[in-house]
Amino acid sequence: MKHIKLLLLSLAVVGFTACEKYTDVTPKGSMIVENASQFHEMVSFPNRSYPTLNLQYLSDDQWMKESDVIGKVPSVNIINFTFNETADRVSLISLSNFYNQAYSYINRWNTIISLVDDSKGDDATKQLAKAEAKIYRAYDHFLLINTYAKAYDPQTAATDGGICIMDKFDLEAQPRKSTVAAAYSFIQKDIEDALPYLQVNPLDIYHPSLAFAYAFKAKVHLFKREIAQAKAAAEKSLSYNDQIFDLVKYAAEGGPTAKPMPAGTNPEVLSLMYMTGRNELNFGYQHVISPELRTMFGTNDARFNLFFNTTSTTNLDQGSGTAYWSTVFTQFFYPTVGMKTPEVYLMLAECHARDNKFSEAVDILNKLRAKRILASGTVNLPVPATRKETMELIVNERRKEMLFGFNRFFDLKRLNTEAEYAKTLTRKFPIVNKTVPQQTYTLQPNSRLYIIPFPLDVLRMNPSLTLNTDEKIPF
């Protein structure tokens, strides 16, 4: 029997930098995990977080306060915000909490996958534990490949540099970098291996459900432009959970002040994952939305009116047209990293648009908007005559519905691989300050800034890992 000793409070797996010798003596404050049910319980990891840090400024949805940019020594945040391709951002990224945490979670999933078969218990529980761990292992690899590599392009994915794939529990491993295509193949195999064993109603909200698994499957297919498969998976996900939380009704009831909605209570949320941790303490004021996105919401959108602040003199530049999410997590928890049913509907709408079924696509948008647009606003959008116009409506709803986290950054990357939907970002800054000249900053669709460099501490530990851009490593 293989035993793995884990801290009783955190069930933390051994990290990459050390290798423990397991003995038959259980240290005080630890426990032996030897039953399949214990391995299954390990899948639930409530405080799992993925700090997005600097990449949010490589989008048209996010903004920086002027005093955080003007007169400051250029940081990675400022480099990204000003779309500065000439700056040495590689030297500034000495480490990455996101990179380290994502791989530590993958190590956790690999621990379960590698060891559960030798544990005590029934085969069904073992299969379930492995399946849930594989879905999360695939999801973590998906976040990593879309951050540190080019977006999937069918023409170049087989040769585009990817990430290190961690497919087993091995504390001494120094894996070589994959291609983008290989990473996606690994992700899709994990999904397909897991689906037959997952549950409609899992053990708790931190275990993956079938609705989430099929939603994630749809997302991977969509990012690969496998439209028929994405459509089928989205419809399958919605067959398990098709709820849309009614923000219009919620506003009439008084909103978050009168009726708090903490994490785990919103039926449209398919997976609880976080940027900063389970409480998401301060993501709001650190993620100021741009004047462009603020304008897109208009004056009758419950997604904005219920939760955003436009008047703060501490977190905003007055007169800039920006806003920030000001609702605390205990009043209304907003999922930033995981998935929710509105994203599934929007993926289904995109599949229809790409199949030139414009009416079907807009019907889905209007179904969502009926739960988002207040009585004084216009709910139903007209059906455009072209695919490009229909896709623009869908992308606009994605921007308003899927705020923060990786969402807009990933969307820009994947859509920029298609000339029909590519967007050149322009940012005029500053808006309020008149003591420095306003400049226009531009980010081209093929900019290398969209590929985040691997952190230096990881590059030093694994010499076989190379950057996916033409930037230089400073050693």
Side-chain angles (χ1 to χ4, degrees):
M1 175 68 63
K2 292 182 181 178
H3 293 171
I4 179 167
K5 293 180 175 61
L6 304 161
L7 293 178
L8 183 58
L9 293 178
S10 65
L11 290 179
V13 298
V14 179
F16 287 111
T17 58
C19 181
E20 296 286 345
K21 295 292 184 181
Y22 301 125
T23 69
D24 290 331
V25 179
T26 305
K28 183 178 180 180
S30 69
M31 61 180 291
I32 292 179
V33 175
E34 57 183 354
N35 295 317
S37 59
Q38 292 174 297
F39 280 104
H40 180 223
E41 289 167 3
M42 279 179 62
V43 175
S44 179
F45 193 14
N47 208 38
R48 197 159 100 243
S49 62
Y50 301 86
T52 54
L53 296 176
N54 322 107
L55 62 80
Q56 70 265 23
Y57 297 117
L58 292 168
S59 89
D60 44 6
D61 284 354
Q62 301 294 293
W63 201 259
M64 291 186 71
K65 193 177 179 185
E66 294 180 7
S67 59
D68 291 334
V69 179
I70 299 170
K72 302 295 184 181
V73 176
S75 61
V76 177
N77 279 342
I78 294 173
I79 290 169
N80 288 346
F81 184 73
T82 56
F83 306 147
N84 186 354
E85 291 197 18
T86 66
D88 180 13
R89 60 179 183 157
V90 177
S91 295
L92 294 176
I93 305 177
S94 58
L95 55 84
S96 166
N97 288 335
F98 163 64
Y99 187 97
N100 293 338
Q101 287 175 205
Y103 274 110
S104 74
Y105 304 147
I106 290 171
N107 197 34
R108 184 186 185 96
W109 316 138
N110 283 337
T111 301
I112 297 167
I113 295 164
S114 298
L115 301 182
V116 68
D117 280 341
D118 289 326
S119 67
K120 301 173 184 177
D122 62 274
D123 289 342
T125 303
K126 294 176 184 180
Q127 290 282 14
L128 177 59
K130 284 195 294 184
E132 292 187 350
K134 283 188 175 184
I135 280 291
Y136 281 159
R137 182 172 72 176
Y139 196 83
D140 287 335
H141 280 92
F142 179 81
L143 296 182
L144 287 161
I145 193 65
N146 282 285
T147 299
Y148 294 103
K150 286 177 61 177
Y152 186 94
D153 186 334
Q155 304 301 316
T156 62
T159 55
D160 289 335
I163 57 172
C164 291
I165 296 172
M166 296 295 292
D167 61 350
K168 58 182 176 295
F169 178 63
D170 184 353
L171 298 177
E172 305 298 332
Q174 278 198 334
R176 301 189 68 84
K177 187 173 71 174
S178 72
T179 63
V180 170
Y184 268 84
S185 294
F186 176 77
I187 290 165
Q188 290 186 296
K189 184 178 186 305
D190 262 0
I191 294 171
E192 298 304 327
D193 287 350
L195 282 172
Y197 304 102
L198 296 175
Q199 298 175 323
V200 176
N201 298 304
L203 188 63
D204 66 34
I205 58 175
Y206 294 102
H207 287 261
S209 67
L210 269 171
F212 165 72
Y214 274 104
F216 176 40
K217 174 178 166 65
K219 189 167 188 168
V220 175
H221 284 305
L222 187 64
F223 274 50
K224 290 185 69 180
R225 303 185 216 164
E226 297 170 345
I227 304 307
Q229 297 96 315
K231 178 177 178 291
E235 290 173 337
K236 189 72 171 177
S237 176
L238 292 171
S239 74
Y240 294 116
N241 184 351
D242 63 353
Q243 297 189 67
I244 301 174
F245 182 66
D246 193 338
L247 288 180
V248 175
K249 179 182 177 183
Y250 190 53
E253 294 171 339
T257 303
K259 188 176 179 181
M261 291 283 292
T265 60
N266 189 335
E268 72 181 19
V269 176
L270 299 176
S271 57
L272 285 177
M273 305 174 191
Y274 311 104
M275 280 197 297
T276 63
R278 183 164 28 174
N279 52 14
E280 295 283 34
L281 277 174
N282 52 17
F283 84 84
Y285 73 79
Q286 289 183 337
H287 290 70
V288 176
I289 65 170
S290 66
E292 179 181 328
L293 181 58
R294 165 66 186 92
T295 300
M296 285 177 60
F297 278 110
T299 58
N300 300 298
D301 197 316
R303 289 171 291 197
F304 184 86
N305 292 10
L306 281 171
F307 307 116
F308 279 88
N309 182 303
T310 61
T311 61
S312 169
T313 57
T314 302
N315 300 322
L316 302 172
D317 294 309
Q318 291 303 303
S320 64
T322 57
Y324 75 99
W325 183 279
S326 62
T327 305
V328 296
F329 74 98
T330 52
Q331 288 188 333
F332 190 93
F333 173 77
Y334 187 82
T336 54
V337 180
M339 300 187 71
K340 56 180 185 173
T341 54
E343 180 177 0
V344 185
Y345 280 108
L346 289 165
M347 289 192 293
L348 185 57
E350 182 172 338
C351 291
H352 285 312
R354 288 177 177 271
D355 283 339
N356 296 320
K357 297 178 179 178
F358 309 141
S359 180
E360 290 89 336
V362 174
D363 284 346
I364 293 174
L365 297 185
N366 291 339
K367 179 177 181 177
L368 174 62
R369 288 171 59 85
K371 303 293 180 69
R372 301 294 187 252
I373 306 303
L374 300 171
S376 52
T378 301
V379 172
N380 292 328
L381 300 170
V383 179
T386 67
R387 182 173 63 187
K388 185 174 182 179
E389 291 173 308
T390 307
M391 280 289 290
E392 184 177 355
L393 293 180
I394 294 165
V395 169
N396 288 347
E397 288 303 320
R398 287 179 69 90
R399 290 177 68 179
K400 291 180 284 186
E401 186 66 37
M402 298 161 55
L403 299 166
F404 313 121
F406 301 88
N407 293 315
R408 181 57 177 162
F409 177 70
F410 284 0
D411 270 353
L412 282 166
K413 285 183 70 167
R414 71 180 178 94
L415 294 170
N416 281 342
T417 64
E418 302 176 79
E420 189 174 6
Y421 312 122
K423 181 178 181 180
T424 298
L425 304 190
T426 57
R427 177 173 286 149
K428 291 185 178 181
F429 184 88
I431 296 174
V432 177
N433 189 307
K434 303 302 181 184
T435 63
V436 296
Q438 186 181 77
Q439 296 186 54
T440 299
Y441 301 98
T442 304
L443 184 65
Q444 298 295 333
N446 63 348
S447 172
R448 71 182 185 186
L449 292 180
Y450 280 117
I451 303 173
I452 306 301
F454 297 118
L456 292 178
D457 63 337
V458 174
L459 292 168
R460 286 191 176 96
M461 289 178 62
N462 189 351
S464 68
L465 185 61
T466 57
L467 296 177
N468 289 322
T469 65
D470 58 358
E471 294 165 279
K472 303 298 182 184
I473 300 175
F475 53 81

